[in-house]
Amino acid sequence: GVLPAWSVEKTLALAAEFEAVLRGPHLSEVLHRMYGNQPARWDDTLGGHDRLRFAVNALTRARFVAADGTLDFETKEGAAGAPPGLVPWFDHPDRQTAGVPMAFGHWSTLGLINRPDLLALDTGCVWGGRLSAARLDAAGGAEIIQVECEQAQRPG
C-alpha cells in the first residue's frame, strides 16, 4: 500500500531508505525491532526504528486507513468489509498518488482489481484461489494471466 499523504517521490524515498538499511551492517538489529503496529500514523518527524517500522508497515501491510491517515492493521477483509470510518488506502479521497498507476498484492480478500490506476493482483492462491500475473503494455494496459491453485493453507 501507499499512505494517502505520501507522494510518489516520498514513497520511493522511504522504500529506498529501508532498502539501504536492509543492505547495511545493522540488519539484524533493525529486523528485531520491525514488528509491531505502532506508530499507526505518519509524522514527518518520525525517526529511527519508528520511522522504518511505519514505512515498512505502510508499504507491506496497509489496507484500510482513516480520514486522518491512521492505518488499521487489524481488519483483513475485502474492500466491502471496511470498518466504519475507514476506507481502502487506494480509495482515500486525499490520496496524493491518485491517478498514478499502482500495482500491489498481499490482500487476497480484495481479489483482482484491474482499473486504469490500480492493479491488485493477490487472488488467494495459497487459499485455493488463483495465482495471478500481469503482462503490462506500453499503453498502460494489463493482460491478466491466472492459473488455478490447490489450497495449501486453511484460513486462520
Side-chain angles (χ1 to χ4, degrees):
V2 176
L3 193 68
W6 291 348
S7 65
V8 171
E9 295 78 17
K10 178 79 157 186
T11 303
L12 293 174
L14 287 164
E17 194 175 312
F18 190 70
E19 179 185 359
V21 170
L22 289 176
R23 294 175 183 269
H26 305 292
L27 176 61
S28 181
E29 176 191 347
V30 169
L31 291 179
H32 279 96
R33 295 181 183 205
M34 273 302 94
Y35 301 100
N37 294 341
Q38 296 299 321
R41 187 162 181 231
W42 177 253
D43 182 324
D44 283 327
T45 64
L46 281 175
H49 294 290
D50 283 344
R51 179 182 179 87
L52 293 172
R53 184 181 312 110
F54 186 88
V56 168
N57 280 341
L59 293 169
T60 62
R61 298 178 57 211
R63 289 187 174 105
F64 295 105
V65 63
D68 69 356
T70 302
L71 294 176
D72 170 66
F73 296 118
E74 302 302 319
T75 308
K76 309 277 191 258
E77 303 303 318
L86 300 176
V87 296
W89 65 266
F90 52 82
D91 284 336
H92 192 282
D94 298 325
R95 182 167 66 101
Q96 298 299 303
T97 56
V100 176
M102 300 241 168
F104 69 98
H106 199 61
W107 191 353
S108 64
T109 55
L110 191 59
L112 179 69
I113 296 177
N114 185 5
R115 62 188 206 201
D117 66 332
L118 196 75
L119 181 57
L121 279 172
D122 188 339
T123 48
C125 181
V126 72
W127 311 113
R130 294 182 174 114
L131 178 63
S132 299
R135 181 178 300 151
L136 305 177
D137 63 34
E143 174 191 0
I144 306 299
I145 300 107
Q146 296 183 309
V147 296
E148 297 294 326
C149 299
E150 288 186 35
Q151 186 171 359
Q153 213 170 2
R154 300 251 181 254

